[in-house]
Amino acid sequence: MILKPEERVALDAGDFAAAVRRYVHYGRGKRLEDTTRGDLLEAVSLATREWLIERMLESERRTRERDSKRVYYLSLEFLIGRSLEMSLRNLGAWDAVRSILAEQRIDLEAVCETEPDAGLGNGGLGRLAACYLDSLATLGIPGYGYGINYEHGLFRQVIENGEQHERPDSWRQLGSPWLIQHPEHPISVPVYGRAGRHPRGGGAGSWLDCRVIVGIPCDMPIAGYGGDTVNWLRLYSATTADEFDVALFNQGDYLRAFERKLSTERISKILYPSGSTEAGQELRLLQEYFFTACALRDIVRRYTDVHASLEGLPDRVAIQLNDTHPALAVAELMRILVDECGIAFERAAEITRETLSYTNHTLLPEALEVWPRPMLGRVLPRHLQIIEELNFRFLADVERRWPGDIDRLRRTSIIEEGHPKRIRMGHLAMVGSHAINGVSRLHSELVRTRLAPDFAALWPERFQNVTNGVAPRRWLLQANPKLAELVTQRIGTGWTRDLEQLQRLETALDDAGFRAGLRAVKRANKQRLAELVDAETGVSLDPDALFDVQVKRIHLYKRQLLAALHAIHLFLRALDGEPAPHPRVCLFAGKAAPEYFLAKRVIRLLCAISRAVESEPRAREQLRVVFVPDYRVSLAEVIIPAADLSEQISTAGFEASGTGNMKLALNGALTMGTLDGANLEIRDAVGEENLYLFGLRAEQVEALRANGGYDPHRAVAESPTLARVIDALKSSRFAGDAGDVFAPLLHHLFEERDPYFVLADFDAYRAAQEQAARDYVDADAWSLRSGRNVARTGWFSSDRAVREYADRIWRLPR
Ligand code: 26Q
């Protein structure tokens, strides 16, 4: 039975105020007058949570009653950001709560600003997961996230003397009002030990003498827009069943008595920064297995609560693997089906495949996960048996299809030959999934043709594309309230659920008044950003300058170095006294993995250029360069709405999709980009004249690599402008007292022949940038093109992307 609207929990603003008072009073033991911002944040959040919980219970009741198919999104990362404002907006209670609190002289916006980000992710992949949770709930799909309740999310970045330093991110040190703990529902996960004899013919196996890790679930409610559906993100903390080892304690060995517990709790201590492939491998494997196993047990339990056997699992459950990080789900689900339910191996493989699907997010060889076979065998002995059995049967299929093709067997095997042998997690994920998708048209094509051509030949029907999308509520409604208001005045509110309605702005763009409105909004957003940048860095920005923005993880393939070289060029030109068409701000933000030496040097270079510009009044009139520390979701929400130009300049073929490119275009920035990832689809959507594309295409990059034709020295010889930039970089101009700090970057560019071909694209980039600067002078023409970006990027909504997954991959009923 569905509740009638009048039976639903009403959101009553008066009740809300009372709840806030109650939480302050009884939760904190204070009077409202005596509260700090932190007390208020907690009380307001807990009051909001009451509404969320009501709706969450109601959503659950509905799903059970209908026995709807559920979707589970397994991800080692969820970059949620802040939740209070988003939750209130999604519940439709933002305005009401704001005014009721204003009556108590509480400024809701200021309270929201104090919320720490939940930064349980590195970048694109983690933020995508968060956008998808928003869309799942908004579309009314019973879809849930599963991950790890990291005590520390991605490190906090501080910049000292132009260098990145990492500080721990203790996002829930004071407790998080969004986490509902369930210590009463622990999950036991075995690890280590040994497997019984490899069962013949794939029969039921056994796993003995294992150690047990306990997973404690914690739920974060996720409200869809309109508040009708509230799903949850279930995060697990790792612990042991016992507080300490009583035997050791009684022997007086107090420290060792706690060791096991502490070593187990390390599993949910901290998020691995991406690119940290060296250190702590086994811990990362334990993290991957721990959360995957917790998730599967929980999913299977929920299903078997209602169904007698797991035979029909794929009819009611779809599990999406966010990259290969949860790929052990293939082996774990097989283990449950074969060992615990006694289902035959082949049938179990079928059920597993019909249930699981896998999204690939990267082609970078160094990011493709492999685990040494000895390590996997030690940590998960029974899983290794299952993987080998699966591989044996899979290779038999390959052999039947291509008899005698030994080389193909070697290429496709889940197990890579070598010393030691290694388990290829991508292959395991593909063998165990009915759908395999890339995240942009180009990337999915490259997955088919370059990453996995043998698999694509074997199962063409499994390979799909789902181009990424971003959540309109967070990235337009919340991040850019002024633009949202302007848009709503013209086309009403329908765009919040159906972003393609932004198309209806096309006609408004003919109206000079509307274009002036767009400019006013952009200027106000730039003013807001300038205030933040001044407070954070002391650099003062002119909101009338062209705001040229590159915000994302620092990585060589993303080529912040190319933008840095261009900034040096602008600097030298300004010193020459050559006037620029328009003053420009080059704004950068992003974190480098702690042990990614060259990426950290890039940050130093950006900071050094900033300092050099600041110390030259002549340059400062037309150029400012600034590196904003600690890029994170809440900072992105301020930077993105203020951008005029969006830098998306990765080496073609390397950026799987990008999602910042979508957020920036949606907020009216023009893309300055290579023909890479979703930039191509953005071009198709906004039209060639409304962005700047330059540089080598993916095929050209590939050809140049294949014939060894890239010569950085020749690029310099052919371009006097570039030569001058490189000379300046070689001089002490930017390094100052720091000597040859930039020598490693030069070494990378020239001696190591930079695999990302920065110098090959420099001239094309400079030319495109010059064109952009000239175009920016005509403010009205620019705002027309900016407006077209807003009007034409509605397709890049995560609602559209999630609907594609629902239709073509999860096979949900419409
Ligand atoms: C692997 C092993 C050990 C430690 C860390 C990792 C690791 C962690 C994170 C490897 C990769 C990641 C993250 C990858 C990622 O964010 N990829 C991005 O995904 C976005 C969403 O699809 C795309 O838009 C980006 O193009 C892609 O780079």
Side-chain angles (χ1 to χ4, degrees):
M1 189 200 72
I2 305 165
L3 281 188
K4 296 186 205 84
E6 62 275 17
E7 290 174 295
R8 271 197 355 205
V9 197
L11 305 183
D12 182 285
D15 290 353
F16 189 89
V20 171
R21 268 194 301 277
R22 182 158 42 79
Y23 282 115
V24 167
H25 199 79
Y26 297 110
R28 299 255 112 185
K30 290 184 181 177
R31 288 184 313 194
L32 201 53
E33 312 80 88
D34 302 327
T35 51
T36 63
R37 279 265 165 83
D39 298 331
L40 280 176
L41 174 66
E42 184 182 85
V44 173
S45 301
L46 288 171
T48 305
R49 191 173 100 168
E50 293 189 0
W51 284 341
L52 292 173
I53 289 176
E54 296 290 358
R55 300 291 171 92
M56 188 169 80
L57 295 174
E58 166 58 16
S59 302
E60 175 60 26
R61 201 194 52 73
R62 218 166 40 217
T63 303
R64 278 207 195 175
E65 191 172 86
R66 300 176 185 169
D67 196 17
S68 309
K69 185 166 183 177
R70 300 187 197 238
V71 175
Y72 299 102
Y73 201 83
L74 269 55
S75 179
L76 211 38
E77 306 193 8
F78 288 92
L79 244 187
I80 301 287
R82 292 175 175 156
S83 288
L84 178 53
E85 179 174 352
M86 199 75 266
S87 298
L88 285 171
R89 285 184 183 278
N90 283 346
L91 289 166
W94 174 252
D95 289 323
V97 166
R98 193 166 51 169
S99 48
I100 200 103
L101 291 181
E103 284 170 22
Q104 317 279 331
R105 284 197 298 282
I106 298 171
D107 176 353
L108 178 59
E109 262 151 55
V111 171
C112 289
E113 279 294 307
T114 64
E115 183 179 347
D117 281 38
L120 310 184
N122 274 287
L125 167 147
R127 181 55 230 176
L128 187 76
C131 285
Y132 284 1
L133 291 185
D134 174 315
S135 287
L136 283 165
T138 297
L139 295 172
I141 296 171
Y144 315 90
Y146 274 93
I148 293 183
N149 190 2
Y150 300 109
E151 188 176 331
H152 305 283
L154 187 61
F155 65 86
R156 218 158 34 80
Q157 178 193 56
V158 295
I159 302 292
E160 280 168 12
N161 299 321
E163 256 186 283
Q164 167 176 302
H165 294 272
E166 301 86 26
R167 300 275 183 272
D169 160 54
S170 307
W171 70 288
R172 55 181 174 81
Q173 199 168 35
L174 307 173
S176 167
W178 306 116
L179 293 177
I180 305 162
Q181 291 205 30
H182 288 292
E184 76 283 14
H185 294 308
I187 296 210
S188 293
V189 176
V191 283
Y192 298 104
R194 61 192 171 85
R197 268 175 47 118
H198 194 130
R200 284 174 169 280
S206 57
W207 187 0
L208 316 155
D209 305 331
C210 24
R211 246 177 68 187
V212 174
I213 304 173
V214 175
I216 305 292
C218 226
D219 292 345
M220 192 183 278
I222 306 286
Y225 190 63
D228 286 334
T229 298
V230 176
N231 293 325
W232 36 261
L233 164 59
R234 181 157 286 184
L235 300 172
Y236 287 92
S237 301
T239 187
T240 50
D242 306 318
E243 271 304 298
F244 53 83
D245 187 320
V246 182
L248 286 172
F249 191 84
N250 290 341
Q251 289 161 29
D253 200 345
Y254 303 121
L255 287 179
R256 272 192 53 213
F258 288 94
E259 241 165 42
R260 173 88 18 123
K261 181 177 165 72
L262 290 178
S263 117
T264 300
E265 288 178 350
R266 282 191 319 169
I267 292 173
S268 53
K269 215 17 120 192
I270 184 164
L271 165 78
Y272 264 79
S274 62
S276 37
T277 37
E278 294 303 313
Q281 275 215 39
E282 187 163 320
L283 182 58
R284 167 96 183 175
L285 177 63
L286 284 166
Q287 285 189 332
E288 294 186 351
Y289 179 64
F290 165 69
F291 100 96
T292 303
C294 287
L296 281 177
R297 277 146 209 262
D298 200 47
I299 293 165
V300 165
R301 180 207 35 87
R302 187 170 300 110
Y303 179 82
T304 49
D305 273 353
V306 189
H307 301 89
S309 92
L310 289 173
E311 281 289 334
L313 188 71
D315 298 332
R316 290 290 176 270
V317 169
I319 299 176
Q320 190 69 33
L321 308 178
N322 201 21
D323 216 291
T324 54
H325 315 156
L328 284 166
V330 175
E332 174 66 3
L333 185 52
M334 287 295 294
R335 194 193 58 77
I336 294 172
L337 295 167
V338 173
D339 294 358
E340 294 183 8
C341 304
I343 296 177
F345 201 91
E346 273 313 317
R347 176 70 193 129
E350 224 171 83
I351 296 172
T352 298
R353 196 166 53 243
E354 287 312 300
T355 306
L356 301 181
S357 42
Y358 155 60
T359 305
N360 172 284
H361 295 267
T362 184
L363 303 171
L364 291 182
E366 65 269 27
L368 299 178
E369 286 193 300
V370 286
W371 294 111
R373 184 179 175 281
M375 186 194 290
L376 197 95
R378 193 154 31 78
V379 179
L380 301 168
R382 175 62 185 138
H383 294 76
L384 180 59
Q385 282 183 343
I386 290 171
I387 290 169
E388 294 190 325
E389 183 70 32
L390 267 174
N391 194 42
F392 177 77
R393 290 159 191 252
F394 162 62
L395 291 181
D397 286 346
V398 176
E399 169 65 24
R400 261 193 296 281
R401 171 80 189 268
W402 292 284
D405 192 342
I406 304 296
D407 206 49
R408 199 185 293 264
L409 291 176
R410 206 187 346 265
R411 289 199 306 264
T412 52
S413 174
I414 300 175
I415 300 168
E416 183 189 271
E417 291 304 314
H419 304 284
K421 292 182 177 170
R422 301 191 300 174
I423 313 299
R424 296 162 163 156
M425 300 309 275
H427 292 204
L428 177 62
M430 290 192 283
V431 168
S433 299
H434 67 277
I436 300 154
N437 76 286
V439 289
S440 72
R441 195 173 62 206
L442 173 68
H443 169 65
S444 295
E445 191 51 34
L446 295 175
V447 166
R448 265 189 290 258
T449 57
R450 285 200 211 153
L451 183 73
D454 296 311
F455 292 87
L458 203 51
W459 313 305
E461 70 291 350
R462 290 193 200 177
F463 285 78
Q464 300 204 32
N465 171 54
V466 182
T467 299
N468 285 165
V470 302
R473 276 72 58 186
R474 185 170 296 259
W475 297 109
L476 187 49
L477 186 60
Q478 172 172 305
N480 201 340
K482 293 197 163 68
L483 181 57
E485 177 57 29
L486 187 71
V487 167
T488 301
Q489 277 170 15
R490 283 284 165 163
I491 63 168
T493 56
W495 61 270
T496 50
R497 284 174 172 285
D498 177 11
L499 200 61
E500 290 193 66
Q501 287 190 21
L502 291 176
Q503 276 172 8
R504 294 167 52 198
L505 291 171
E506 289 281 351
T507 52
L509 287 169
D510 295 335
D511 171 356
F514 183 71
R515 296 195 302 272
L518 284 174
R519 283 197 293 283
V521 165
K522 189 59 88 179
R523 195 176 188 291
N525 291 337
K526 288 160 81 171
Q527 182 69 47
R528 171 171 74 150
L529 173 59
E531 283 160 22
L532 182 150
V533 168
D534 193 8
E536 293 288 317
T537 69
V539 177
S540 68
L541 306 179
D542 171 7
D544 291 317
L546 188 175
F547 276 30
D548 177 359
V549 164
Q550 188 170 18
V551 288
K552 52 183 78 245
R553 283 299 287 258
I554 313 290
H555 205 297
L556 289 175
Y557 85 80
K558 295 178 186 279
R559 299 202 296 192
Q560 280 91 357
L561 191 48
L562 177 56
L565 297 180
H566 178 250
I568 294 176
H569 159 67
L570 294 179
F571 175 61
L572 297 175
R573 212 181 51 178
L575 291 183
D576 290 344
E578 208 183 301
H582 199 88
R584 181 192 294 246
V585 167
C586 299
L587 184 146
F588 298 88
K591 294 174 184 176
E595 73 283 26
Y596 194 166
F597 174 75
L598 287 175
K600 291 178 119 176
R601 280 298 149 97
V602 170
I603 294 178
R604 281 187 85 163
L605 178 58
L606 293 168
C607 292
I609 300 169
S610 173
R611 204 165 30 198
V613 173
E614 288 305 300
S615 67
E616 288 281 1
R618 268 181 311 158
R620 233 164 42 202
E621 278 169 25
Q622 39 178 292
L623 176 66
R624 307 307 286 264
V625 176
V626 64
F627 187 90
V628 189
D630 204 31
Y631 188 56
R632 59 196 186 280
V633 173
S634 59
L635 186 56
E637 288 172 31
V638 182
I639 296 176
I640 287 171
D644 293 310
L645 254 192
S646 155
E647 297 286 337
Q648 309 299 337
I649 60 178
S650 51
T651 315
F654 283 86
E655 189 69 89
S657 162
T659 45
N661 47 2
M662 301 167 187
K663 294 164 197 164
L664 281 151
L666 179 63
N667 280 276
L670 271 60
T671 302
M672 169 65 64
T674 44
L675 291 97
D676 199 14
N679 295 353
L680 289 159
E681 287 152 277
I682 293 177
R683 175 199 59 193
D684 295 349
V686 306
E688 198 93 60
E689 11 22 285
N690 301 305
L691 82 175
Y692 301 90
L693 294 182
F694 69 93
L696 299 174
R697 299 158 175 274
E699 318 87 74
Q700 295 173 312
V701 168
E702 190 49 31
L704 204 54
R705 177 177 327 286
N707 67 24
Y710 173 59
D711 180 0
H713 296 286
R714 201 173 68 214
V716 174
E718 285 171 359
S719 165
T721 315
L722 176 57
R724 206 167 158 227
V725 168
I726 296 295
D727 283 343
L729 185 55
K730 285 180 179 162
S731 77
S732 61
R733 174 155 236 155
F734 300 107
D737 306 337
D740 48 7
V741 270
F742 302 126
L745 292 175
L746 287 160
H747 185 83
H748 167 81
L749 285 175
F750 292 99
E751 266 62 57
E752 315 218 301
R753 298 186 155 249
D754 164 32
Y756 306 112
F757 298 176
V758 168
L759 303 187
D761 279 344
F762 180 84
D763 268 350
Y765 182 54
R766 202 214 62 232
Q769 284 285 24
E770 238 158 62
Q771 186 61 48
R774 282 197 297 271
D775 291 345
Y776 193 74
V777 176
D778 186 343
D780 192 45
W782 186 279
S783 48
L784 174 61
R785 298 197 300 152
S786 164
R788 284 184 180 149
N789 271 268
V790 179
R792 298 176 183 179
T793 46
W795 186 78
F796 297 94
S797 164
S798 48
D799 299 343
R800 183 270 315 155
V802 165
R803 226 177 257 121
E804 288 190 28
Y805 280 97
D807 291 344
R808 305 205 314 261
I809 295 181
W810 305 327
R811 300 166 187 165
L812 302 189
R814 264 280 184 170

